[in-house]
Each structure stands twice: as structure tokens, then as C-alpha cells.
Amino acid sequence: MRHTIVLWMYLLILTPSISGEANTAVNCMDGGYTGQRTTLTCTITGTIVSGIRWWRPNGGSQQAVVMCNTANTICEPSGGITGYSAVIDSRWQITLTIESFNTAVDAGEWICRDGEAGVPSTCTKTLLNGPDSVTFIPPLPGSITEGQSLTVTCAASCNPPCSYSWTLGNQHISSTSQLTLTNINRSQTGNVYTCNVTNSLIPKSKTKQFTLTVYYGPDSVQLNSSSPLTIQEGDEVAVSCEPTNCSPSCSFTWKFKSQIKSTSSIISLKNTQRSAAGDYTCTTVNTNTRKSADKTISLAVQSNRSSITFVTLNSQLTKVTVDELTPMTCDVDSNPGYDIKLLNIS
């Protein structure tokens, strides 16, 4: 009998009733999305002294929102605060529901503990957000020169991080935020590339797209007349110059003897004189690709009249007396050429 009494007293000393000795573990579950419902759970183990209490972050100054009785069978709002309800899963676990998540008071560190003096357990309820908008880097990615490469990054602010995918029409082409196109060719111009951003936890999605414009050419130049082009003196003539495959449109320059005669696709000559005969070169330039192409046409101007510009004898233009069979030179300005006869009319 003596040993039994001693044992009872020993046990009594080891198990005193200490306020707040129950342990809690709080789980914030998923984050909260503004205006939507979200939940937390608190599990308690050990000897319950006062019952579970919940404190919200309240912008950094914790505030009690729900308190339960010692048996954890009844949970009520604290201090008249509304918008929170508790579901008693068991005496050992309570689920708190935030009816409408408010970033100002609900985002941050939540506390659950046994009464006022229990050891607190905490978790952080994060704000779930995004994507609200999608930003391309670079901002205007749609124009590129043929043969070059293009990298476009699709960016959005999300918590938790969003997932990304790129599509071309109905074809999936990338599962990352970055789209890379290499060795771009003119057949890709007009392609519409779409970035899809998804926050699967909320869930919420946003898309943004751009249309690809490919600059190319000119490949060559075509003239509407073949070379040489022969006209009669006094006539009017017009020659047009057209680049092959030039996007966007090319600029034009017509030159004659290094002088610019026209900056349009057409060069027009009126009352053409024999001095206008010669080579005319059309040059087309794509300022975006910095590529150029040119073509030259030779203009011949014919006349029905001719004139003797000079007669020389041993490089002299003065009146001379010559011996029979002495060579003489006679220069005639004419087109087409004429047969020349030198006659003695004395």
C-alpha cells in the first residue's frame, strides 16, 4: 500500500496543469485571391486549456477574429468582427473560412493557438494575383529583316508564378515565356503569334499576340523597256523601274552621268535632244533591309539632220593647201551615221 501512494504522488508532480500547454499547427492552405473565399486549418494536440483562437495579420497588428470554447465545440466571432466562419472538423481541428479575402487585413501572418497564452503557430497567407496584363519584351516585336532571328519574352505579374505557352494559330510552339524564331523568311510575314499566360491556382488567364512583319528585297529590278532604247530627236520618252519582291516599298533614284534625274519609279524626258543619249541607271533601295538593286538602260537618239562639226588636217583647223593623196579627217555629228564624201568644188 505504501508503494502505491508514493507512485500516485510522483505522477501528480510530473503532470501539473500548465496554462496553454496544448500545441497547435496552422496551415494556410493556398493563398487568397481578392474578393474570393479561402480557408485555413488549425490542429491542436495535447491538453486543451482554453480552446483554439485565430488572429488575422491586420496589416501588421494582429487581431483576434474567431475564438472557440475549451471543448472546441463552439466557435464564434471575436470582437464583433464579421466575414469569418469556423467549421469544427473535430475537437482537434478547426477550419477557418475567410468569406471575402481582403489584402489589407488577410494577407500576411496568421496565428492559431490555445487561448491567449498558448504557444502560437503561424503561417503566411499570400495574395494570389494575376495575370492582370501581359507585357512583351521588346514592346513592339513584330518587325524583322529576312534572315535575322527574333526573341520575344512574354511577361506577367503573377502569384504564384504563371505558366506560359506560345501558339501559332492552333499550333503549340513553345511552353516557356520566351519565343525564339531563327532565320526568318518572307513566308512568315503575317503570322500571328499568341502568348497564353495562366494562373492555374486562381484560375485566371490572359493572352496577347503580335503579327510578324518581315522586311525583304529588292531581289532585282525590271524595266518596262529593253536596252538599247532608240527614239527620234524631239520625241518624248518615259521608262518605269519596278523592283522585284520589296517589302516594304523601295525608294528610287534615276541617274544619268552621275546626276540624279528622278527620285520616282519613272523617268520622263520631253523634246529629247541628242545630248540626252547615254546610259540611265535606276537604283532601288529598301531602307529597312539596307539592300539595293539597279539596272541600266542605254538611250539612243536619232536625228534626220546632220552637221559637220570640224575638218582637220594634221590637227589644224585653218585653211591649208595639200598635196594630192594627203589624208584628211572630217567629223560629222549625226545619228544614224551617214556616208561622207569630200568633194573639190573649186
Side-chain angles (χ1 to χ4, degrees):
M1 180 65 69
R2 180 183 298 174
H3 294 294
T4 302
I5 293 173
V6 172
L7 179 61
W8 176 81
M9 292 177 65
Y10 182 72
L11 291 174
L12 183 62
I13 294 171
L14 290 179
T15 58
S17 177
I18 302 175
S19 177
E21 67 180 352
N23 295 317
T24 58
V26 63
N27 184 351
C28 279
M29 311 290 281
D30 297 324
Y33 184 66
T34 302
Q36 291 191 5
R37 177 178 294 187
T38 184
T39 59
L40 309 87
T41 62
C42 183
T43 303
I44 191 167
T45 58
T47 302
I48 303 174
V49 175
S50 302
I52 288 176
R53 301 286 191 276
W54 290 92
W55 278 262
R56 68 182 181 182
N58 199 42
S61 178
Q62 270 77 18
Q63 183 179 34
V65 293
V66 170
M67 59 185 299
C68 304
N69 63 0
T70 304
N72 282 335
T73 56
I74 299 175
C75 298
E76 297 178 338
S78 175
I81 296 176
T82 60
Y84 306 91
S85 60
V87 174
I88 302 168
D89 303 317
S90 70
R91 187 168 182 245
W92 313 105
Q93 179 174 300
I94 305 295
T95 297
L96 179 73
T97 298
I98 303 172
E99 300 297 339
S100 178
F101 188 80
N102 182 343
T103 304
V105 294
D106 296 328
E109 185 179 78
W110 278 80
I111 297 175
C112 172
R113 64 187 175 197
D114 181 10
E116 298 288 338
V119 178
S121 61
T122 63
C123 70
T124 301
K125 194 75 168 176
T126 58
L127 171 66
L128 302 180
N129 62 77
D132 296 322
S133 62
V134 180
T135 304
F136 281 148
I137 305 172
L140 300 174
S143 301
I144 195 70
T145 298
E146 186 175 42
Q148 293 184 346
S149 298
L150 175 66
T151 297
V152 181
T153 300
C154 188
S157 177
C158 302
N159 185 34
C162 284
S163 61
Y164 296 84
S165 67
W166 284 92
T167 56
L168 172 58
N170 295 324
Q171 180 185 2
H172 175 79
I173 55 177
S174 175
S175 297
T176 68
S177 62
Q178 194 172 81
L179 173 69
T180 299
L181 305 174
T182 60
N183 194 24
I184 295 172
N185 63 73
R186 63 191 66 181
S187 66
Q188 292 171 268
T189 194
N191 283 358
V192 179
Y193 296 90
T194 303
C195 176
N196 308 277
V197 185
T198 302
N199 190 331
S200 57
L201 193 59
I202 294 177
K204 186 179 181 181
S205 296
K206 283 284 186 179
T207 62
K208 190 170 184 176
Q209 58 187 207
F210 71 90
T211 301
L212 186 65
T213 299
V214 182
Y215 299 140
Y216 55 88
D219 295 336
S220 62
V221 176
Q222 300 296 324
L223 304 179
N224 68 338
S225 298
S226 58
S227 182
L229 173 61
T230 302
I231 63 172
Q232 295 296 316
E233 188 176 26
D235 285 353
E236 180 178 343
V237 63
V239 180
S240 65
C241 175
E242 185 67 29
T244 303
N245 300 323
C246 190
S247 176
S249 58
C250 284
S251 62
F252 300 87
T253 303
W254 279 96
K255 286 187 177 181
F256 173 66
K257 296 180 179 178
S258 301
Q259 294 183 345
I260 297 176
K261 292 298 184 180
S262 174
T263 56
S264 71
S265 62
I266 299 175
I267 186 170
S268 180
L269 303 176
K270 297 181 179 180
N271 190 25
T272 309
Q273 302 300 307
R274 284 175 289 175
S275 59
D279 291 338
Y280 291 80
T281 301
C282 174
T283 302
T284 62
V285 179
N286 188 329
T287 56
N288 291 280
T289 65
R290 298 182 181 179
K291 185 178 179 181
S292 64
D294 57 59
K295 197 162 189 178
T296 299
I297 187 171
S298 294
L299 180 66
V301 181
Q302 292 184 346
S303 174
N304 293 324
R305 60 186 179 84
S306 62
S307 62
I308 298 176
T309 55
F310 60 85
V311 177
T312 63
L313 177 63
N314 298 328
S315 301
Q316 297 183 33
L317 297 178
T318 58
K319 181 177 179 181
V320 294
T321 301
V322 298
D323 296 330
E324 186 179 9
L325 301 179
T326 299
M328 296 184 66
T329 301
C330 180
D331 185 22
V332 178
D333 179 15
S334 66
N335 185 15
Y338 290 86
D339 293 331
I340 300 174
K341 293 182 180 180
L342 187 61
L343 302 175
N344 183 356
I345 58 175
S346 57

